[in-house]
Amino acid sequence: MSKISEITIEELLELYAAGKRDFTRYTIKHTDQYFENGIDLRGVKFRGDSLEAIFFSLENSNLSGADLRGINFRKANLDCCNLSGALLNKASLWCAGLNRANLSGANLSGASLSGTTFVTANLKGANLSKTKLYETSFNCADLSGVNFSNAKIHRPIYFDKANLTQVDFTKVTLDIAWDEISFKEAYFENTIMPDGSIRNS
């Protein structure tokens, strides 16, 4: 197995600008640098913990279509990021902020979403099957067409004012009562509930 190469964020951006997209065997040196308008890493491929050192540089960034499977995004600031169509299967998003982010069509199957906030995020058509949900907030989010099948809910989660049109909650595993989940002013339309029944507002 080839060794892991350590590069700075500036070197990462230079390599990306030159056409490189696969950074599977790279790790980024820690930086406190902040990019007010985010950075463009569309279609990039990272695996494992490669982005750990630049978590706070990613707000407003474009990571659409990126391959981020299994990546560690603990406490990451991903607010307003474009992650549409991204692969985030089995990623760790513990206490990450994805408020106002675009995750339409993203695949988060098996991801850990404990303490994650998706306030006002766009998750239209995203795959959240088999995710681990623990005090996760989807308040005011567009969840239309989201697949939550086989997700595991360990603590109350929040769907206040969320759009739950055609959401699939089948086979969700709960260790709390369903009525402990907050759905204040949520919009239901052809929403498939855990017992297979259809709920409409």
Side-chain angles (χ1 to χ4, degrees):
M1 183 179 292
S2 60
K3 69 176 184 178
I4 296 176
S5 300
E6 185 179 48
I7 57 175
T8 66
I9 192 167
E10 292 80 10
E11 290 170 329
L12 165 68
L13 296 175
E14 287 176 7
L15 288 168
Y16 183 88
K20 186 174 180 62
R21 296 294 181 267
D22 190 347
F23 294 88
T24 301
R25 301 296 300 167
Y26 285 76
T27 187
I28 312 303
K29 293 179 182 177
H30 177 78
T31 180
D32 292 321
Q33 188 170 354
Y34 176 72
F35 298 88
E36 183 177 358
N37 298 314
I39 53 180
D40 185 355
L41 292 172
R42 285 173 287 179
V44 76
K45 181 178 181 180
F46 282 102
R47 301 297 286 274
D49 296 330
S50 304
L51 295 181
E52 184 173 3
I54 60 170
F55 282 164
F56 295 100
S57 300
L58 294 176
E59 184 179 3
N60 298 307
S61 293
N62 189 344
L63 290 158
S64 57
D67 184 348
L68 304 167
R69 288 176 288 175
I71 203 150
N72 181 357
F73 270 137
R74 292 167 62 91
K75 296 185 178 181
N77 180 359
L78 298 165
D79 291 346
C80 301
C81 270
N82 183 355
L83 286 152
S84 58
L87 300 178
L88 288 153
N89 312 60
K90 297 185 178 180
S92 175
L93 290 156
W94 180 79
C95 289
L98 287 129
N99 306 306
R100 302 176 304 285
N102 180 3
L103 292 115
S104 57
N107 191 339
L108 291 92
S109 180
S112 176
L113 306 178
S114 299
T116 312
T117 56
F118 294 94
V119 177
T120 322
N122 175 8
L123 290 110
K124 188 173 183 177
N127 181 2
L128 277 76
S129 63
K130 301 179 182 178
T131 49
K132 298 177 181 66
L133 305 171
Y134 182 104
E135 297 183 348
T136 310
S137 175
F138 295 101
N139 290 345
C140 302
D142 184 353
L143 298 167
S144 51
V146 168
N147 177 11
F148 280 103
S149 64
N150 295 290
K152 297 181 180 180
I153 299 176
H154 299 288
R155 284 288 179 88
I157 59 176
Y158 308 92
F159 293 100
D160 299 346
K161 298 183 179 180
N163 181 356
L164 299 171
T165 300
Q166 296 183 330
V167 166
D168 184 355
F169 285 116
T170 56
K171 298 183 180 178
V172 167
T173 302
L174 302 166
D175 70 355
I176 59 171
W178 185 253
D179 60 11
E180 291 182 61
I181 298 172
S182 182
F183 289 107
K184 295 176 184 176
E185 298 183 50
Y187 179 75
F188 294 84
E189 183 178 339
N190 295 323
T191 307
I192 306 173
M193 305 306 285
D195 62 0
S197 63
I198 304 297
R199 180 171 174 178
N200 293 290
S201 292

